[in-house]
């Protein structure tokens, strides 16, 4: 919709209220925690890395368990006159190694044969790929290991169950990653682990009122794309499809429903809400105005502005950190306008959240709630179709709100992203002709490449842009094309899935690893860009690959 009258809600509070579970948790989002980050990363360095930093990866420090009695003790020791030449010794005596607050833990329901199909129809390459990925689950399953000897604490949040982490530097459970991991666990017939993964996130909603970006205290200032309701709905459907009531314990849906409603309120009230032309839509909006603790150095190098710190954290809340999608100048993070973008994908995910709440309420016989959320979902999809659909290009597009409460035009070259096709992912009908137009526009977009679906058509150097292919986007767009794209859309979904699978298989053959992201342009090559070196493991890639192998007979 062009020329719409738009207004944004009041700006978010200056900082998020940070709640920690107990005295064993430490926070770097305020007070002494921020003071310590400044001393560690900005103070004198006698053993700095080649980039002039004390830590090659800034995240390593906030993943180190505290062995001293308190953060205050560490601050005092670093401020002492002798610390200018012995800071490394102080840190070594006060903290354990990065990630030493976790230990590997065998999943409760993993078995070596769990990844094999029920029949022998798979060719050898497919079977070997299944087995390789299934064999990754034990290495990615972790549980907290709290420091002994009166240690001062950890940034790991207390959870009711073991967690599955993405891998490499990502040593905690992540919100939207978990949805794609769950798909793989179900494909591996690990229903108990899938349930535990979901219950960890439900616990977060109960404890904090929302699901944080990840399960460490420094992520409590923001969330991520809210896919928890999808996980609950998929577990429910999986238990029905497998005629196995034991997967879901008695009372699971009863306990989940009010928590899903609570999360819905978090996303649809206050600072995430915007009104455009009389329609209610949503945006990402993080609650912190300080540098991200896990990227403290990078944020301090980018800006000293609290408002820009919020914008950077908001880009991280979107899951797309970083992309030209959010930036006026793709080379400058300080030009982020993420809080003024009305994203196609977030609004679609919340419309589906409302449909999922309706589904769960219906399963429990709560007809009033079922009808209420069914109407909310329909209304939100109507808003998406009215405000975000661009007739000229045959796709939905993000809307950028201007600073003076008027819509700001975005150059057309900046508006083609894989997320533009997420509104196909729905169970209700689309306006006439729209699905056909959307499928045709995706075919012509330049995003469908030999190695899968590229994230955008812009080569900015950011990891959420061309030519990277990310597993979650392959999956979400695939689901949309399958749901609403008709036969032509299903054919395109199959093409995207097969291209991505061949890319993953070729890259595994050449590197021996499952990767976080891939090069859509050159199959057999993993992706690049970002604040950190390319990571392996990798939770959401594993989950999407296993799911695709279950949904398509021939992949490789």
């Amino acid at each position: 919709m062009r020329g719409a009258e738009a207004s944004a809600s009041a700006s978010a509070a200056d900082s998020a209220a940070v709640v920690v579970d107990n005295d064993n948790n430490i926070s770097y989002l305020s007070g002494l925690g921020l003071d310590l980050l400044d001393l560690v990363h900005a103070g004198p360095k006698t053993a700095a890395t080649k980039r002039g930093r004390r830590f090659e990866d800034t995240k390593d420090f906030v993943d180190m368990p505290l062995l001293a009695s308190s953060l205050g003790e560490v601050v005092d020791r670093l401020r002492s006159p002798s610390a200018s030449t012995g800071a490394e010794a102080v840190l070594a005596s006060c903290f354990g190694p990065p990630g030493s607050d976790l230990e590997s833990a065998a999943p409760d329901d993993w078995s070596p044969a769990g990844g094999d199909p029920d029949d022998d129809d798979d060719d050898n390459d497919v079977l070997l790929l299944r087995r390789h990925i299934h064999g990754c689950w034990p290495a990615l399953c972790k549980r907290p290991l709290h420091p002994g000897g009166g240690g001062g604490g950890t940034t790991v949040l207390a959870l009711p169950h073991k967690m599955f982490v993405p891998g490499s530097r990502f040593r905690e459970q992540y919100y939207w990653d978990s949805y794609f991991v769950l798909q793989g666990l179900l494909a591996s017939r690990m229903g108990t682990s899938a349930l535990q993964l979901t219950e960890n996130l439900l616990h977060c909603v109960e404890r904090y009122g929302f699901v944080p970006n990840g399960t460490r205290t420094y992520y409590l200032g923001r969330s991520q794309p809210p896919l928890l309701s999808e996980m609950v709905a998929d577990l429910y459907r999986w238990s029905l499809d497998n005629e196995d009531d034991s997967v879901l314990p008695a009372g699971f849906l009863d306990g989940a429903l009010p928590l899903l409603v609570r999360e819905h309120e978090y996303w649809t009230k206050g600072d995430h809400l915007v009104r455009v032309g009389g329609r209610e839509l949503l945006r990402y909006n993080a609650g912190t105005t300080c540098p991200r603790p896990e990227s403290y150095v990078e944020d301090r190098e980018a800006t000293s502005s609290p408002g820009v710190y919020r914008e950077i954290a908001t880009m991280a809340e979107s899951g797309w950190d970083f992309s030209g999608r959010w930036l006026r100048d793709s080379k400058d993070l300080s030009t982020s306008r993420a809080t003024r973008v009305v994203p196609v994908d977030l609004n679609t995910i919340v419309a589906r959240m409302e449909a999922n709440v309706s589904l769960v309420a219906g399963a429990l016989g709560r007809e009033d709630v079922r009808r209420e959320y069914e109407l909310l979902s329909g209304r939100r999809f109507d808003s998406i179709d009215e405000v975000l659909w661009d007739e000229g290009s045959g796709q939905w597009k993000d809307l950028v709100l201007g600073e003076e409460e008027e819509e700001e035009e975005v150059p057309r070259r900046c508006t083609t992203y894989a997320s533009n096709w997420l509104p196909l992912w729905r169970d209700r009908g689309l306006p006439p002709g729209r699905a056909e137009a959307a499928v045709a526009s995706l075919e012509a977009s330049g995003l469908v490449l030999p190695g899968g679906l590229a994230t955008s058509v812009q080569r900015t150097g950011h990891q959420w842009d061309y030519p990277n292919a990310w597993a979650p986007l392959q999956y979400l767009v695939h689901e949309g094309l399958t749901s609403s794209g008709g036969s032509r859309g299903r054919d395109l979904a199959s093409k995207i899935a097969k291209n991505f699978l061949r890319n993953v298989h070729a890259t595994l053959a050449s590197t021996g690893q499952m990767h976080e992201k891939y090069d859509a342009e050159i199959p057999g090559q993993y992706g690049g860009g970002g604040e950190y070196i390319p990571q392996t493991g990798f939770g959401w890639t594993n989950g999407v690959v296993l799911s695709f192998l279950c949904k398509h007979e021939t992949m490789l």
Side-chain angles (χ1 to χ4, degrees):
M1 178 178 175
R2 296 292 175 258
E5 194 177 300
S7 65
S9 67
S11 63
D14 284 344
S15 62
V18 178
V19 182
V20 294
D21 286 298
N22 52 51
D23 291 339
N24 199 51
N25 270 137
I26 53 177
S27 173
Y28 291 104
L29 287 173
S30 60
L32 278 173
L34 279 175
D35 292 343
L36 180 56
L37 289 177
D38 194 58
L39 285 168
V40 168
H41 295 301
K45 303 172 184 64
T46 59
T49 67
K50 62 184 179 182
R51 292 194 294 170
R53 302 179 179 185
R54 180 163 279 124
F55 293 90
E56 184 68 23
D57 187 339
T58 309
K59 186 176 183 294
D60 280 351
F61 176 66
V62 290
D63 289 353
M64 294 165 60
L66 179 65
L67 304 179
S69 60
S70 67
L71 291 182
E73 176 189 339
V74 184
V75 169
D76 289 344
R77 291 179 63 181
L78 287 175
R79 284 175 173 166
S80 69
S82 61
S84 61
T85 58
E88 276 70 26
V90 172
L91 294 177
S93 66
C94 290
F95 293 92
S100 59
D101 47 10
L102 297 172
E103 64 178 355
S104 296
D108 291 344
D109 52 353
W110 184 87
S111 68
D116 289 352
D118 292 327
D119 53 49
D120 296 324
D121 291 341
D122 277 346
D123 65 37
N124 191 54
D125 283 343
V126 170
L127 184 59
L128 290 176
L129 182 58
R130 282 181 184 270
R131 287 176 175 173
H132 176 85
I133 297 174
H134 180 73
C136 293
W137 295 129
L140 298 177
C141 187
K142 308 289 183 182
R143 63 185 170 201
L145 180 64
H146 296 299
T154 174
T155 55
V156 176
L157 299 177
L159 298 172
H161 303 295
K162 303 167 188 175
M163 58 181 137
F164 286 87
V165 305
S168 298
R169 74 192 290 268
F170 299 111
R171 308 175 179 99
E172 47 283 321
Q173 184 173 340
Y174 282 79
Y175 185 2
W176 78 312
D177 298 57
S178 295
Y179 172 63
F180 306 100
V181 170
L182 179 134
Q183 307 307 318
L185 293 174
L186 294 180
S188 285
R189 292 174 287 192
M190 295 171 62
T192 297
S193 289
L195 173 66
Q196 292 173 349
L197 189 78
T198 306
E199 288 185 330
N200 282 344
L201 302 187
L202 289 169
H203 168 81
C204 288
V205 178
E206 185 174 29
R207 181 73 180 89
Y208 308 110
F210 71 106
V211 182
N213 185 146
T215 57
R216 287 189 183 263
T217 57
Y218 53 77
Y219 286 135
L220 284 170
R222 64 181 190 261
S223 187
Q224 265 192 335
L227 291 164
L228 176 56
S229 73
E230 298 290 345
M231 297 171 69
V232 172
D234 282 354
L235 277 172
Y236 172 61
R237 295 187 189 100
W238 194 77
S239 68
L240 295 179
D241 291 344
N242 288 271
E243 300 180 349
D244 185 359
D245 294 334
S246 66
V247 173
L248 298 185
F252 171 74
L253 291 182
D254 297 272
L257 180 59
L259 295 176
L260 295 180
V261 169
R262 187 176 179 189
E263 189 192 28
H264 177 264
E265 291 174 352
Y266 171 82
W267 280 101
T268 58
K269 310 291 184 185
D271 298 314
H272 290 109
L273 175 65
V274 295
R275 292 182 175 85
V276 182
R279 293 281 191 175
E280 289 191 356
L281 292 164
L282 305 170
R283 61 176 171 179
Y284 293 107
N285 199 346
T288 52
T289 55
C290 63
R292 294 166 297 151
E294 76 282 8
S295 300
Y296 186 85
V297 174
E298 291 79 3
D299 287 5
R300 285 288 299 269
E301 289 174 348
T303 186
S304 60
S305 164
V308 177
Y309 289 144
R310 181 194 301 284
E311 290 288 342
I312 292 173
T314 297
M315 289 191 285
E317 181 172 71
S318 77
W320 287 49
D321 45 334
F322 298 112
S323 168
R325 183 181 178 190
W326 316 116
L327 301 168
R328 293 188 198 89
D329 179 351
S330 64
K331 296 181 176 60
D332 185 356
L333 292 184
S334 71
T335 66
S336 170
R337 57 189 178 191
T339 60
R340 293 191 288 106
V341 174
V342 181
V344 169
D345 45 359
L346 173 62
N347 284 276
T348 301
I349 288 168
V350 174
R352 286 189 58 85
M353 178 195 296
E354 290 158 342
N356 291 329
V357 172
S358 179
L359 172 71
V360 173
L364 294 172
R366 294 288 305 276
E367 183 60 23
D368 55 336
V369 180
R370 185 201 69 77
R371 181 60 179 161
E372 176 188 358
Y373 279 83
E374 180 182 59
L375 291 172
L376 286 173
S377 178
R379 190 179 307 148
R380 196 170 307 279
F381 272 120
D382 288 343
S383 296
I384 292 167
D385 290 334
E386 179 179 329
V387 178
L388 302 181
W389 175 256
D390 182 68
E391 187 68 35
S393 61
Q395 59 190 267
W396 296 266
K397 290 184 177 180
D398 297 342
L399 198 66
V400 180
L401 305 177
E403 295 184 45
E404 301 301 324
E405 296 190 352
E406 61 185 25
E407 188 178 338
E408 177 180 329
E409 287 290 340
V410 186
R412 187 168 297 278
R413 63 180 179 81
C414 297
T415 59
T416 300
Y417 300 97
S419 52
N420 291 4
W421 284 269
L422 254 67
L424 288 169
W425 190 31
R426 65 176 87 182
D427 297 324
R428 67 195 299 271
L430 281 80
R434 193 153 296 181
E436 295 81 358
V439 172
S441 70
L442 181 55
E443 289 174 329
S445 67
L447 294 176
V448 182
L449 296 174
L453 186 70
T455 306
S456 80
V457 295
Q458 295 176 274
R459 193 185 290 272
T460 65
H462 293 299
Q463 62 176 351
W464 287 88
D465 274 314
Y466 190 92
N468 284 346
W470 292 83
L473 295 182
Q474 315 301 306
Y475 186 85
L476 296 176
V477 174
H478 174 278
E479 293 300 285
L481 291 167
T482 303
S483 298
S484 303
S487 61
R488 187 173 172 183
R490 288 189 293 273
D491 288 344
L492 184 56
S494 179
K495 178 179 180 178
I496 290 169
K498 289 180 179 181
N499 287 357
F500 184 67
L501 263 289
R502 291 174 184 137
N503 193 352
V504 171
H505 182 259
T507 309
L508 176 63
S510 63
T511 68
Q513 300 282 349
M514 299 292 290
H515 293 268
E516 178 191 26
K517 53 187 178 280
Y518 293 81
D519 190 322
E521 195 175 32
I522 308 173
Q525 186 166 301
Y526 56 82
E531 295 180 296
Y532 47 81
I533 62 172
Q535 303 295 294
T536 60
F538 196 87
W540 63 18
T541 304
N542 301 351
V544 168
V545 169
L546 287 177
S547 178
F548 280 172
L549 290 174
C550 289
K551 292 177 179 180
H552 296 269
E553 292 182 0
T554 305
M555 271 299 179
L556 301 176

